[in-house]
Amino acid sequence: MTAELPVYLDHNATTPPLPAVVAEMLDVLQHVWANPSSTHAAGQAARGVLADARLRVARFLGCQPAEVVFTSGATEANHMAVLGALAARPERRRLLMSAVEHPGLLALARRLHDEGTAELALIPVDRHGRLDLHAARALMGPDVALVSVMGANNETGVVQPVAEVAVLAQACGAWMHVDATQLAGKAPLSFADSGVQMMSVSAHKLGGPKGVGALLLRKGLVLPPLLSGRQERQRRGGTENLPGIVGFAAACEQAGRTLAQQIVVLWSLRDRLERGLMQALPQVHVYGAGAERLANTSCLRFGELPAEQVLDRLERAGVLASSGAACSAGGTQPSHVLLAMGESPQRARMGVRLSLGLHTTPLDIAHTLRAAAQALGPLLQVRPALAQEQPLAESTP
Ligand code: PMP
């Protein structure tokens, strides 16, 4: 038996929709297409399906149904949290964020800072990617509107000490937001127990559809809406994306059933992958290995090889992965996450992320190990400066 090619190891970018998700979404598209705000029977039936989906999502995320505000995804939820917190308490102007937040969230905060709407302070991380709690404590103050720390990092999988930061935020009256996009569906999560006021999640990271997610908003907290309208208790206007929301609910339900078992399986597959790579290619470095990490994520550097080159060779050998570094017209930008962990700009362009998922098999890992050894081994034998000129290694089919 061989692995089914290509081997998809990019689950932190997005996951394939689960069959149960597709089936439920198709059913809603075909049969429950009325507007949940319509007062006729068809509208009321749609409203019932929406309420049921909200309950299923809330059950999985450990919150009350009324605390779920459905959005177009985590990017929108992150914007709601930041802009809402600043608008709700205009006397507080400072935003505290970890230096490794998602680029969309950091870009928003930087824009607000540059416009003079808010002041942004970044909380550093250590070389393992863990938030520096001493620095966080020193940055707290009565002018802080929102502290935003991600549950787990999308590039390295490093899990952040959210509960500890929540205590610090509470002591100075700041609200706290957690971008839990990578945590939901990969680690146990309870909004009720988290001690934070807001949490962002996205359906497509756990087997649901793209373009739908939620901001969990602590009961009693009122934020001026980003999109005005009557839906979602006046917290987010726009006709609800019912097929997407139902797909999200189906994904949550399946994750609730399989999560514990999945974590065990993913730990062992990821462990096999990292050990195998380091055995075959001693130049491999694993980022975040000294910190608590998600079970599915491996962020690696292959000697001094640029990420683009590694990804190109892996793809030709039938393995799909990603780099944390952003691509622009002018070339690859260094990963802000690896820079924050103390890497040089050159090395921060070398991070390659292999992220496993529900359907990853031992055969996929075996294929990846063979592909990496054959496609990258010869490149790692030569001096880094010559690596670009090395002829292509024979790839497996
Ligand atoms: N935050 C994190 C940590 C993410 O990984 C992502 C997706 N890459 C987002 C936010 C954005 O999510 P969405 O695609 O739902 O807008």
Side-chain angles (χ1 to χ4, degrees), residues 4-364:
E4 211 171 294
L5 294 185
V7 173
Y8 183 77
L9 294 184
D10 200 15
H11 290 83
N12 286 11
T14 197
T15 54
L18 298 162
V21 167
V22 175
E24 283 206 44
M25 287 182 73
L26 276 177
D27 186 51
V28 171
L29 277 168
Q30 285 173 331
H31 304 297
V32 199
W33 43 262
N35 190 324
S37 296
S38 295
T39 52
H40 48 65
Q44 290 310 295
R47 198 176 186 77
V49 171
L50 177 62
D52 180 59
R54 194 184 305 280
L55 187 65
R56 295 160 77 192
V57 169
R59 212 177 277 144
F60 175 64
L61 297 171
C63 65
Q64 298 181 20
E67 292 176 321
V68 178
V69 183
F70 286 118
T71 64
S72 64
T75 301
E76 184 190 325
N78 286 346
H79 277 64
M80 257 179 97
V82 171
L83 295 170
L86 288 169
R89 300 193 296 173
E91 68 284 5
R92 290 176 175 254
R93 305 311 313 147
R94 208 142 58 88
L95 298 170
L96 288 193
M97 281 180 195
S98 89
V100 296
E101 292 301 302
H102 192 260
L105 184 55
L106 285 174
L108 167 67
R110 287 209 171 96
R111 176 161 64 78
L112 295 171
H113 180 93
D114 293 345
E115 287 169 3
T117 312
E119 199 189 308
L120 171 65
L122 294 179
I123 310 171
V125 296
D126 66 15
R127 68 190 175 89
H128 303 292
R130 270 183 312 227
L131 197 86
D132 181 339
L133 282 170
H134 292 292
R137 185 177 293 111
L139 285 166
M140 296 286 166
D143 58 336
V144 176
L146 189 74
V147 182
S148 196
V149 172
M150 64 201 331
N153 186 264
N154 47 303
E155 291 184 28
T156 59
V158 170
V159 174
Q160 297 298 355
V162 164
E164 286 92 325
V165 184
V167 171
L168 298 177
Q170 198 180 8
C172 70
W175 289 343
M176 175 142 175
H177 165 251
V178 172
D179 179 351
T181 308
Q182 295 292 345
L183 204 62
K186 301 197 186 99
L189 182 65
S190 163
F191 182 61
D193 298 341
S194 68
V196 308
Q197 281 70 35
M198 299 175 235
M199 195 176 268
S200 301
V201 285
S202 180
H204 73 100
K205 308 289 182 177
L206 61 145
K210 288 154 200 50
V212 61
L215 180 71
L216 308 185
L217 199 54
R218 183 72 60 201
K219 199 176 170 191
L221 204 72
V222 180
L223 297 185
L226 199 59
L227 304 174
S228 299
R230 286 177 300 112
Q231 289 85 358
E232 297 296 285
R233 299 173 179 233
Q234 277 101 47
R235 295 173 300 184
R236 200 271 186 182
T239 304
E240 298 87 347
N241 168 11
L242 197 55
I245 289 170
V246 167
F248 185 16
C252 285
E253 214 159 68
Q254 175 135 345
R257 279 195 297 267
T258 57
L259 184 61
Q261 170 70 14
Q262 259 313 297
I263 291 174
V264 176
V265 173
L266 289 171
W267 265 116
S268 106
L269 290 176
R270 200 257 314 261
D271 191 53
R272 192 182 299 186
L273 176 66
E274 289 184 350
R275 276 170 196 267
L277 285 173
M278 287 188 292
Q279 250 164 30
L281 309 166
Q283 302 89 336
V284 166
H285 174 77
V286 181
Y287 287 108
E292 184 189 347
R293 281 187 296 161
L294 295 173
N296 80 313
T297 309
S298 193
C299 182
L300 307 161
R301 177 167 52 75
F302 291 85
E304 303 294 325
L305 297 178
E308 290 152 86
Q309 195 178 15
V310 173
L311 291 172
D312 177 56
R313 296 293 168 124
L314 286 178
E315 180 161 6
R316 290 197 226 176
V319 178
L320 305 182
S322 267
S323 99
C327 293
S328 67
T332 308
Q333 301 294 318
S335 149
H336 72 290
V337 175
L338 298 185
L339 284 176
M341 289 165 70
E343 284 291 43
S344 65
Q346 197 189 358
R347 282 204 165 164
R349 289 188 181 88
M350 296 174 181
V352 170
R353 178 186 70 191
L354 303 180
S355 49
L356 287 54
L358 191 64
H359 303 293
T360 307
T361 64
L363 284 176
D364 292 338

Side-chain angles (χ1 to χ4, degrees), residues 369-384:
L369 290 175
R370 264 198 317 276
Q374 291 180 13
L376 304 174
L379 295 182
L380 290 165
Q381 303 307 318
V382 296
R383 281 191 297 121

